[in-house]
Amino acid sequence: MYVSTLALLAFACGNVLATPTPDHAARSATLPLPARTIFQLDDTLPGSWFENIALRRNGDLLVTMLQPNASVYSIQRPLSGSPVASIISIDNANGLLGIAETSPDVFAVAAGIFSALATPVPGTMTVWEINLRGPEPTTRFITKMPEAVFLNGVASISNCSSPAVLVADNGLGRVWRVDLKTGEYETAAEVPEMQSVADAPLPIGVNGVKVRNGDLYFSNSNHASIYRLAIDKDGIAVKGAKAELVAKYDAGNIDDFVIDERGQFWAATNFNNTVAVAKPGSTGIVVVGESTQLTVAGDTALVLGGRTKSDKNIVYTVTSGAVAGPVNGTVTEPAKIVAIDRTGF
Ligand SMILES: *[C@@H]1O[C@H](CO)[C@@H](O)[C@H](O)[C@H]1NC(C)=O
Ligand SMILES: *[C@@H]1O[C@H](CO)[C@@H](O)[C@H](O)[C@H]1NC(C)=O
Ligand SMILES: *[C@@H]1O[C@H](CO)[C@@H](O)[C@H](O)[C@H]1NC(C)=O
Ligand SMILES: *[C@@H]1O[C@H](CO)[C@@H](O)[C@H](O)[C@H]1NC(C)=O
């Protein structure tokens, strides 16, 4: 009785899974790390842009599309050589942004209506939930956020009694907290380091958000930097807390990022067409891609594998096919998912 109650609770609360440990003891990797495309769209969807990615507990992937439409691509058996893709559509939106798991097989996603690339229609930002526990996926509208300008990364700040997410708003330079039960939202954090650079060609401030050891980590695209900010257990910035610079990249911008088990920051540099890794307090080094290559061209976000034996050394990245900054000035391609092998890195 006691055991079964505990097991149930653990399931409901989204406990941390025991995951395979990646093989990096040898540190023998040579750069660039091996990378292979495991899934790519075709030209029937012009200007396709994958924006973010989440890993399911069974090793499947969920990939959000920013354009041309509000689809979540569910990719089954991503490393099998013949992955199966199905689409979950989000209503009243034509673009999707960040995605995060809030309890086992339940994900929150940010959505909106865009009139052109990176041009949101004012007042159209929303948050949705996707539930994959049943035989068919279901979606649930959580809330409209009329004051939001341009939502971006999403991070879970859920606990057993209260599912919630932090959502970056790169237009306002703010992070919102959205309660997924009530749909209520409030400002969680707003510090100068979240602001875009006003005269940047594409002004984008706070972009990716991650919660780790009780701190909020966020990327600022225009600063090509990652910062840390102290938050409380609800995800609200500690009063008077200051953002601390933890990583900086030699890139015009960075997009979303992920933190590995050694505390290193893996960033998708998007316009630089690379994945770069920074140790805390350091400048990033390029581990995959090149500005003149399509390998990870226009990469937007990453997720670490680690649910299955086959993905324990994999980092997945998704791309926008360089549609906003063509390689060599002219070359673009459909959006894709790339598996990077970090064995020995
Ligand atoms: C988006 O495009 C795909 C591929 O054409 C299609 O299957 C899907 O239904 C579309 N989704 C929406 C929300 O229009
Ligand atoms: C869960 O989150 C809610 C809302 O942030 C908070 O009031 C509550 O104390 C939290 N519970 C635990 C067990 O941390
Ligand atoms: C990234 O792109 C910027 C221009 O946007 C360039 O100055 C910089 O050298 C590039 N960095 C690398 C590592 O290619
Ligand atoms: C870009 O140009 C360089 C130099 O000419 C070439 O090596 C590279 O293959 C080109 N990239 C693409 C994607 O065509």
Side-chain angles (χ1 to χ4, degrees):
M1 184 61 193
Y2 174 74
V3 170
S4 65
T5 308
L6 244 183
L8 241 167
L9 255 181
F11 182 76
C13 298
N15 61 313
V16 175
L17 289 178
T19 55
T21 316
D23 303 323
H24 50 228
R27 304 262 180 273
S28 55
T30 53
L31 299 181
L33 297 176
R36 70 184 169 101
T37 298
I38 54 154
F39 178 82
Q40 186 163 29
L41 296 175
D42 60 29
D43 290 322
T44 56
L45 285 177
S48 58
W49 179 302
F50 282 153
E51 171 64 13
N52 221 302
I53 180 166
L55 182 72
R56 290 187 60 190
R57 285 157 191 252
N58 62 6
D60 291 355
L61 300 172
L62 291 177
V63 173
T64 64
M65 181 183 258
L66 177 60
Q67 63 173 34
N69 74 25
S71 297
V72 176
Y73 281 74
S74 167
I75 310 290
Q76 291 138 51
R77 299 188 298 282
L79 297 172
S80 66
S82 51
V84 176
S86 54
I87 294 175
I88 304 160
S89 292
I90 298 294
D91 294 336
N92 302 320
N94 66 3
L96 300 180
L97 302 132
I99 184 165
E101 188 178 40
T102 56
S103 65
D105 271 332
V106 178
F107 292 80
V109 61
I113 299 176
F114 293 81
S115 56
L117 180 62
T119 312
V121 174
T124 65
M125 295 292 130
T126 53
V127 173
W128 287 75
E129 189 173 84
I130 299 173
N131 189 321
L132 300 170
R133 288 181 185 172
E136 294 296 330
T138 57
T139 62
R140 186 169 72 92
F141 173 73
I142 301 292
T143 188
K144 218 178 167 123
M145 297 178 67
E147 303 87 352
V149 171
F150 190 160
L151 298 182
N152 207 315
V154 174
S156 175
I157 188 85
S158 297
N159 68 32
C160 300
S161 55
S162 180
V165 283
L166 299 180
V167 186
D169 186 330
N170 64 249
L172 287 176
R174 174 185 297 179
V175 172
W176 301 94
R177 179 185 194 277
V178 181
D179 184 309
L180 299 172
K181 216 185 264 173
T182 64
E184 284 165 13
Y185 57 91
E186 62 187 302
T187 297
E190 192 164 26
V191 292
E193 291 80 1
M194 291 177 178
Q195 291 293 324
S196 60
V197 173
D199 60 359
L202 186 60
I204 294 195
V206 60
N207 185 325
V209 283
K210 308 288 164 200
V211 175
R212 192 180 159 107
N213 300 333
D215 285 322
L216 171 66
Y217 289 83
F218 64 91
S219 59
N220 180 307
S221 287
N222 292 161
H223 294 185
S225 295
I226 295 172
Y227 298 90
R228 173 173 50 209
L229 183 69
I231 53 174
D232 66 19
K233 67 175 176 17
D234 298 337
I236 308 293
V238 171
K239 202 164 179 286
K242 298 238 182 305
E244 178 194 350
L245 179 69
V246 293
K248 170 102 188 122
Y249 298 83
D250 173 23
N253 288 276
I254 60 166
D255 205 323
D256 211 324
F257 67 102
V258 76
I259 310 172
D260 72 16
E261 55 291 310
R262 295 164 59 209
Q264 304 185 110
F265 303 95
W266 296 62
T269 66
N270 199 326
F271 302 105
N272 273 79
N273 307 326
T274 58
V275 171
V277 179
K279 292 190 183 355
S282 83
T283 301
I285 57 161
V286 171
V287 297
V288 176
E290 252 182 72
S291 61
T292 60
Q293 300 299 320
L294 284 170
T295 318
V296 290
D299 54 334
T300 52
L302 305 126
V303 73
L304 293 176
R307 298 303 204 209
T308 65
K309 244 187 173 143
S310 59
D311 75 357
K312 67 175 181 173
N313 294 322
I314 298 295
V315 185
Y316 296 100
T317 187
V318 284
T319 80
S320 59
V323 299
V327 175
N328 293 347
T330 56
V331 185
T332 63
E333 64 172 359
K336 66 185 180 184
I337 309 170
V338 178
I340 300 165
D341 186 344
R342 62 181 177 126
T343 306
F345 180 75

